Amino acid sequence: MANIEYSEQEQIRRESLAKLRELGIEPYPAAEYPVNADAAEIAAGFDPEKGNFQEVCIAGRIMSRRIMGAASFGELQDESGRIQIYVKRDEICPDEDKTMYNTVWKKLLDIGDIIGIKGFAFYTQTGQLSVHAKELTLLSKSLRVLPIVKELDGQIFDAFADPELRYRQRYVDLIVNPQVKDTFIKRAKIVATMREYFNAAGCLEVETPILQSIPGGATARPFITHHNALDIPLYLRIANELYLKRLIVGGYNGVYEFAKDFRNEGMDKTHNPEFTCMEIYVAYKDYNWMMEFVEKMLAKISTAVNGTTVVKIGENDVDFGGVYRRLPILDAIKEYAGVDVKGMDENELRSTCKKLGVEIEPSMGKGKLIDAIFGEYCEKNLIQPTFVTDYPVEMSPLTKRHRTDPSLTERFELFVCGKELANAYSELNDPIDQLERFEEQAALKSKGDDEAMFIDYDFVRALEYGMPPTSGLGMGIDRLTMFMTGQTAIQDVLFFPQMKPEKKLKKEEKEEKEDKE
């Protein structure tokens, strides 16, 4: 056993654990416990006149206790909420041996312990719904002290509110801040609603590889590993696009996937290196059709999750109903940055970025230079859902050229509250054009752009067999959940976000403190 130092309270709980075993009570029993009701179910359905809930079996954590001699009140918390329990000595200890009450319940059990109660529902004299315990069973002994929130004269004490602790110890966060569960319940409802919508449209949910020999489908820095048996490098996928389009080549008319993607990039309030993205591809459709498809989908999701299409996001009331604005990206730059970049070459764009005060890197090509201007001047102004459309070819290596202007592509990105929510194309299905685009990306990579795409010759080969006209969409589930639940940080919609190692964090905090001194 490792030499671990315990706090005084943790040591006391371990001593209680030993005493329970001395009494012959197993603190972690293996047998099934026959739960037949939960707190919310009893609260919603109990009716004294009907005499229901008279053989209740519930289980949960002890969250409070008030011991008054031979009788006690406590509060039990299960997945659905909290309910009061009434524990009377002579009820749970009908024989002469009162150990279960006098020793176990009063002295050896603690806040946070998981117990089972068999009994019946009733109202106390003060009108408080409670469960009268006839039998009490210890199901799991808690060895750490919960940071129980207390309120006194309007003041909150011991709130478990530090984001660093909440994200790192989500299991504690869910116990002491049960309202956090609502966000994740809504997240599940978002995904379920999307599945229902896609299935109704005749699309098939599929799975594609996470380990890929070429990290394709997006411009991003990948995570790399090594496969020992094959002696080859492999990459965690940055997107699943190219595999889904291979399935369209194979004859499916509509496929979608909720994919775990990975990008070896920085972390902030809207980015996590591991994230969930939904991608869908539908044959014989274009980006105009996809815009209408997305409008109806988001209205459906918002209504399912919040009961309305209008969602409060920060200070803004965002309406996901109706028809969204269509705004070509070059028009957006002209409107918000006051410059017309259409037709500019790379040198002219660099000069424009310098005049506008936009930071750029030497490795940036035309596409990234235009994107830098757009990001600096335009994104923050796009509060209501807006389809930014018709991106230059250099920004969209997997997108079909625009039917009326070959210097542009049939692509849109959906922006909400200044953030990108979705990316969609009329998919490029010309294999010759696709290979040329890949080669242009390879040239950028040789200039030092480590986010530029690899050439995926197998995907080009698939296109050479013929892919029908197709529209594709990628949408970040984490960011969508943020919008639909009013959260401002991606860490609040991920159960276990990526965090700095605790030792590294403590070292940085120590160095910062020393610098201040």
Side-chain angles (χ1 to χ4, degrees):
M1 180 74 73
N3 186 19
I4 301 173
E5 291 187 9
Y6 298 113
S7 69
E8 181 182 356
Q9 286 297 317
E10 288 171 346
Q11 186 59 45
I12 290 172
R13 289 187 178 218
R14 280 166 170 75
E15 291 170 0
S16 296
L17 180 75
K19 290 175 183 177
L20 286 165
R21 286 192 163 124
E22 288 173 6
L23 291 171
I25 297 173
E26 172 52 53
Y28 306 104
E32 174 189 359
Y33 192 75
V35 174
N36 62 15
D38 61 37
E41 183 182 358
I42 297 170
F46 175 59
D47 185 343
E49 295 184 0
K50 292 181 179 178
N52 55 353
F53 293 103
Q54 295 306 290
E55 293 185 1
V56 166
C57 183
I58 62 172
R61 289 185 187 273
I62 303 170
M63 300 304 287
S64 68
R65 280 188 307 175
R66 301 190 309 279
I67 296 174
M68 301 171 290
S72 307
F73 285 100
E75 196 172 31
L76 204 67
Q77 177 174 291
D78 61 18
E79 183 185 33
S80 71
R82 295 189 183 189
I83 192 167
Q84 182 168 276
I85 57 173
Y86 175 63
V87 182
K88 192 174 181 180
R89 183 187 61 195
D90 294 337
E91 291 281 357
I92 65 168
C93 304
D95 301 324
E96 291 185 8
D97 184 359
K98 307 299 181 183
T99 302
M100 177 55 72
Y101 184 86
N102 292 336
T103 303
V104 177
W105 170 250
K106 290 176 66 174
K107 298 177 181 179
L108 301 182
L109 295 190
D110 295 287
I111 304 300
D113 289 352
I114 299 174
I115 63 172
I117 294 290
K118 292 181 180 179
F120 58 89
F122 76 108
Y123 283 113
T124 66
Q125 292 182 350
T126 59
Q128 178 70 45
L129 177 63
S130 306
V131 174
H132 187 127
K134 303 286 286 184
E135 181 181 311
L136 185 152
T137 304
L138 175 61
L139 300 175
S140 183
K141 179 68 181 167
S142 173
L143 299 181
R144 285 185 177 264
V145 181
L146 284 176
I148 298 299
V149 180
K150 306 178 188 69
E151 184 174 351
L152 181 64
D153 298 328
Q155 296 288 320
I156 301 295
F157 298 93
D158 298 331
F160 193 68
D162 179 10
E164 176 71 25
L165 285 174
R166 289 182 53 239
Y167 303 151
R168 196 177 294 281
Q169 299 179 31
R170 181 67 81 187
Y171 38 89
V172 179
D173 187 33
L174 292 167
I175 295 169
V176 302
N177 296 317
Q179 71 278 5
V180 170
K181 292 179 181 177
D182 294 340
T183 296
F184 294 97
I185 291 171
K186 286 183 176 181
R187 181 185 176 115
K189 186 173 289 187
I190 288 168
V191 172
T193 304
M194 293 178 86
R195 278 198 171 97
E196 178 187 341
Y197 184 71
F198 296 151
N199 292 342
C203 298
L204 178 70
E205 184 171 8
V206 298
E207 294 181 344
T208 61
I210 294 175
L211 282 175
Q212 300 180 352
S213 58
I214 293 176
T219 53
R221 186 184 296 113
F223 287 93
I224 185 170
T225 186
H226 186 83
H227 192 286
N228 291 333
L230 295 177
D231 193 23
I232 59 171
L234 288 175
Y235 303 86
L236 289 177
R237 69 179 169 202
I238 57 176
N240 52 346
E241 175 173 343
L242 302 187
Y243 283 94
L244 291 175
K245 287 196 282 192
R246 285 173 169 92
L247 297 179
I248 297 295
V249 170
Y252 291 103
N253 279 352
V255 292
Y256 71 94
E257 181 178 16
F258 290 91
K260 278 291 185 183
D261 292 340
F262 307 84
R263 297 183 183 178
N264 197 352
E265 299 167 348
M267 300 181 296
D268 56 33
K269 285 193 172 184
T270 57
H271 294 89
N272 194 65
E274 174 185 352
F275 61 98
T276 304
C277 185
M278 185 289 306
E279 293 202 29
I280 182 169
Y281 293 83
V282 185
Y284 309 110
K285 306 296 182 186
D286 65 7
Y287 78 142
N288 293 309
W289 176 88
M290 186 62 78
M291 285 187 236
E292 295 181 6
F293 188 73
V294 169
E295 287 168 343
K296 293 173 184 176
M297 178 185 71
L298 290 177
K300 183 181 180 68
I301 291 171
S302 182
T303 301
V305 172
N306 297 304
T308 174
T309 61
V310 179
V311 180
K312 188 78 170 178
I313 304 176
E315 299 178 353
N316 302 297
D317 291 321
V318 176
D319 191 354
F320 286 100
V323 177
Y324 305 163
R325 183 187 184 192
R326 274 77 165 156
L327 177 63
I329 188 171
L330 300 184
D331 291 352
I333 291 174
K334 187 186 297 184
E335 179 177 338
Y336 295 113
V339 294
D340 187 353
V341 299
K342 183 175 177 60
M344 285 187 181
D345 61 24
E346 187 173 318
N347 290 330
E348 290 172 322
L349 284 168
R350 288 187 180 280
S351 297
T352 300
C353 287
K354 186 175 181 180
K355 290 176 185 176
L356 293 172
V358 177
E359 293 186 10
I360 57 175
E361 298 291 336
S363 62
M364 286 182 171
K366 285 182 63 176
K368 286 202 169 183
L369 293 170
I370 292 171
D371 193 41
I373 298 172
F374 176 78
E376 183 71 26
Y377 281 87
C378 305
E379 290 183 4
K380 60 189 174 185
N381 296 293
L382 306 177
I383 304 302
Q384 295 300 321
T386 303
F387 291 122
V388 177
T389 66
D390 303 344
Y391 285 67
V393 168
E394 295 82 2
M395 298 179 70
S396 311
L398 297 169
T399 312
K400 187 184 286 290
R401 292 179 187 269
H402 199 282
R403 64 197 73 181
T404 61
D405 185 344
S407 69
L408 304 176
T409 59
E410 295 197 349
R411 172 188 177 187
F412 73 77
E413 288 185 304
L414 174 62
F415 283 84
V416 178
C417 287
K419 302 293 182 183
E420 177 201 343
L421 177 57
N423 188 19
Y425 316 146
S426 293
E427 299 296 332
L428 177 58
N429 60 346
D430 180 339
I432 297 174
D433 192 359
Q434 180 64 84
L435 180 58
E436 291 173 353
R437 306 271 196 98
F438 277 147
E439 289 171 343
E440 290 168 2
Q441 287 287 301
L444 290 174
K445 185 172 286 292
S446 67
K447 288 173 60 177
D449 186 349
D450 56 5
E451 293 185 350
M453 289 187 185
F454 289 65
I455 299 178
D456 189 335
Y457 289 107
D458 180 70
F459 177 65
V460 174
R461 178 169 57 191
L463 291 184
E464 289 174 344
Y465 281 97
M467 184 176 84
T470 299
S471 182
L473 168 79
M475 180 173 288
I477 299 302
D478 307 320
R479 192 165 292 178
L480 175 60
T481 304
M482 289 171 62
F483 289 149
M484 290 296 173
T485 60
Q487 302 297 329
T488 58
I490 193 171
Q491 291 81 5
D492 286 317
V493 300
L494 301 173
F495 274 127
F496 304 106
Q498 190 66 44
M499 305 289 289
K500 286 184 180 180
E502 289 187 74
K503 289 184 179 179
K504 183 177 181 181
L505 183 67
K506 289 177 181 177
K507 181 181 178 182
E508 291 178 356
E509 290 174 346
K510 181 180 178 182
E511 290 173 350
E512 184 179 347
K513 184 179 179 181
E514 290 173 350
D515 289 341
K516 288 180 180 178
E517 292 175 350

